[in-house]
Amino acid sequence: MSESPLTGDRFRIGYALAPRSVSSFIQDSLLLHAKQRGVDLIKIDLDKPLVQQGPFDSVFHKLYDEEWKKQLEEFSILNPTTIIVDPIESIEKLHNRVSMLDADAVAANQGMKFPLIAKALLANATADAHQMFLALNKEGLNGIKPPIILQEFVNHGGIIFKVYVAGDHVKCVKRKSLPDINEEKLGNSENLIPFSMISYFADNEQSDESLAKLMEAAEMPPSSFVNEVSKQLRHALKLHLFNYDMIRDSRVENRYLIIDINYFPGYAKVPEYETMLTPCFLDIAHQKRSRENGNLDQSENNKTHEAESNGHKMDQLENNKAHEGESNGHKMEK
C-alpha cells in the first residue's frame, strides 16, 4: 500500500515477528498499555506482501531472510517516511561477534590472559551459537572448532547486569551469573571446560539462600552511567532495540565490562516493560509524523516559490507592456 497521511491522535505500529518471538514481545499488558496511550500495535500478515498492508507510522521486525529484506526495501520506497525498526544492515552487525565487538571497543587477542571464554563467531538462534567454553591454556583452544571469538574471563561477584534499550528508554536489571572461579582448583582440571561445569570450580560453594542474599546486596551501577553507555552504543550500532550484558570487575573498583549484545531481546522478561516500550513507540511515531509534516512543508514552500515566480513573471510582463505603450506614445507625438 502506497503511503497516505495518517491523521488523528492515534498511531499505528506494525510488527513482524517469527511465531516463537511473539510471546517475548507482544503481551496483553503491552497491547492495553499502548492502546490507552494512543498506540495501536498491528500484527503484519506474513502471508501477504508488506506493500499491501498499512499505513504504518513504524514497522518493528525481527526477520532476516532475503524475501523479507526485499519486502522491506519495496515498502520503504513506497513509504519513505515510515520508520523501520531496525535497518537490516545494522542488525546484521550483531549476528557476527567480530563486528559486535567493534561497537563496544573490546580488543580481542590483545593482552588477554587465560582462562579465556570461547564463543562461536556467529551470534544467532542456533544451539551452537550459545555453547561456550572456558579454555585454560593454548591446548584447550585446540579442542574448539573455529571460527571462534575469545574473551578474558573476569571474576565479577557472580552478578551480571542486563541492560535493555528501547530508543531513549533504558532499564537495567541484575541477574545471577557465573560464580567467581578459584584458579587453584583449575590447576588440576582439563584444558577445556564447558560452561555448565564451571560451578565445580567456584571460589565458594553457595546455597540458594546465600545466592539470594548476594543478589539483594549487589549494588546497581549508577543510572547516569548506564544511560550514557546505552546512548553511545545506540549511536554506534544505529539500533533502537537491543540489550547488553555488563559485569563489574571484582579486581578494579568501578570498572565495568560489556560482554555481549543482542538485538530485539525478550523485553517481556523486564518488570513493567510496557512503560518502557510504549514511550519508544510514541517517540518513533512522532518522528514519523514530523517527517511527513516536513515533506508537506517543503511541498507548500515549493508551491509558494512557484506562485511567487509566476507572480514575478506576470509583473514583468505587465511592466514590459507598460514600457511598450509609453514607447508607442512617444512615437505618435513625434
Side-chain angles (χ1 to χ4, degrees):
M1 181 179 292
S2 60
E3 187 167 64
S4 59
L6 288 161
T7 58
D9 295 327
R10 300 202 66 78
F11 301 105
R12 292 168 55 89
I13 306 293
Y15 64 90
L17 305 171
R20 67 177 181 275
S21 301
V22 173
S23 61
S24 66
F25 182 65
I26 299 296
Q27 304 252 328
D28 289 342
S29 58
L30 176 62
L31 293 173
L32 179 61
H33 191 271
K35 186 174 183 179
Q36 290 173 340
R37 286 153 183 80
V39 177
D40 296 321
L41 296 174
I42 300 162
K43 184 178 181 180
I44 291 172
D45 187 346
L46 300 181
D47 294 325
K48 290 175 56 178
L50 183 58
V51 292
Q52 295 179 10
Q53 303 179 65
F56 300 117
D57 288 294
S58 179
V59 171
F60 282 57
H61 72 101
K62 194 178 182 181
L63 301 171
Y64 316 116
D65 60 86
E66 291 301 321
E67 175 58 28
W68 177 249
K69 290 181 187 179
K70 182 180 177 182
Q71 289 203 49
L72 273 182
E73 289 173 1
E74 292 175 351
F75 181 86
S76 295
I77 291 171
L78 293 175
N79 302 272
T81 62
T82 297
I83 298 174
I84 305 299
V85 178
D86 276 300
I88 292 285
E89 58 272 19
S90 297
I91 298 170
E92 288 177 339
K93 289 182 180 180
L94 292 191
H95 288 172
N96 184 308
R97 286 190 165 113
V98 170
S99 55
M100 179 200 304
L101 293 175
D102 287 340
D104 59 25
V106 175
N109 288 321
Q110 294 186 9
M112 294 191 299
K113 299 178 182 178
F114 287 99
L116 297 175
I117 298 170
K119 304 178 183 180
L121 180 63
L122 296 180
N124 50 36
T126 63
D128 289 343
H130 295 283
Q131 192 173 19
M132 295 187 284
F133 295 90
L134 193 66
L136 306 185
N137 47 46
K138 292 182 179 179
E139 288 72 21
L141 292 178
N142 294 333
I144 307 174
K145 183 180 177 181
I148 57 173
I149 198 78
L150 300 175
Q151 290 176 309
E152 184 176 344
F153 183 88
V154 174
N155 280 336
H156 50 281
I159 301 294
I160 190 169
F161 302 102
K162 302 187 82 69
V163 183
Y164 292 81
V165 180
D168 293 329
H169 309 276
V170 178
K171 280 200 174 187
C172 179
V173 296
K174 54 186 174 182
R175 295 283 186 265
K176 174 188 171 184
S177 181
L178 295 170
D180 288 350
I181 57 175
N182 186 317
E183 294 194 15
E184 291 183 4
K185 291 184 179 181
L186 289 175
N188 298 321
S189 63
E190 299 291 332
N191 297 326
L192 189 65
I193 304 170
F195 260 40
S196 59
M197 302 289 291
I198 287 181
S199 60
Y200 293 105
F201 304 94
D203 203 14
N204 293 301
E205 292 187 13
Q206 294 178 318
S207 63
D208 291 341
E209 183 180 354
S210 63
L211 282 172
K213 290 182 179 179
L214 177 69
M215 285 287 295
E216 185 178 353
E219 182 181 353
M220 297 288 284
S223 58
S224 58
F225 171 72
V226 172
N227 288 335
E228 182 59 27
V229 171
S230 302
K231 177 182 176 182
Q232 296 296 331
L233 278 176
R234 184 161 52 84
H235 289 311
L237 296 168
K238 296 181 173 60
L239 293 172
H240 290 83
L241 303 178
F242 63 95
N243 82 327
Y244 58 95
D245 296 340
M246 186 166 64
I247 59 175
R248 183 164 45 218
D249 192 340
S250 297
R251 304 165 301 181
V252 182
E253 186 177 4
N254 292 327
R255 180 176 184 241
Y256 292 88
L257 302 167
I258 294 172
I259 59 173
D260 204 7
I261 311 174
N262 301 287
Y263 175 65
F264 210 142
Y267 285 96
K269 295 179 289 188
V270 182
E272 299 180 342
Y273 84 113
E274 307 87 356
T275 62
M276 173 189 185
L277 284 176
T278 302
C280 176
F281 297 149
L282 289 168
D283 290 346
I284 291 171
H286 283 299
Q287 183 182 343
K288 192 263 187 180
R289 300 293 176 93
S290 295
R291 283 186 182 182
E292 281 187 340
N293 292 335
N295 287 347
L296 290 174
D297 291 343
Q298 184 62 43
S299 177
E300 290 300 319
N301 286 337
N302 290 340
K303 290 180 181 178
T304 300
H305 288 309
E306 184 178 351
E308 290 176 351
S309 178
N310 291 335
H312 288 311
K313 289 179 181 177
M314 291 296 293
D315 291 341
Q316 186 63 42
L317 183 60
E318 291 298 325
N319 288 336
N320 290 341
K321 288 181 177 179
H323 287 305
E324 184 178 348
E326 289 176 1
S327 176
N328 290 336
H330 287 307
K331 290 179 180 178
M332 291 293 292
E333 288 174 4
K334 290 180 179 180

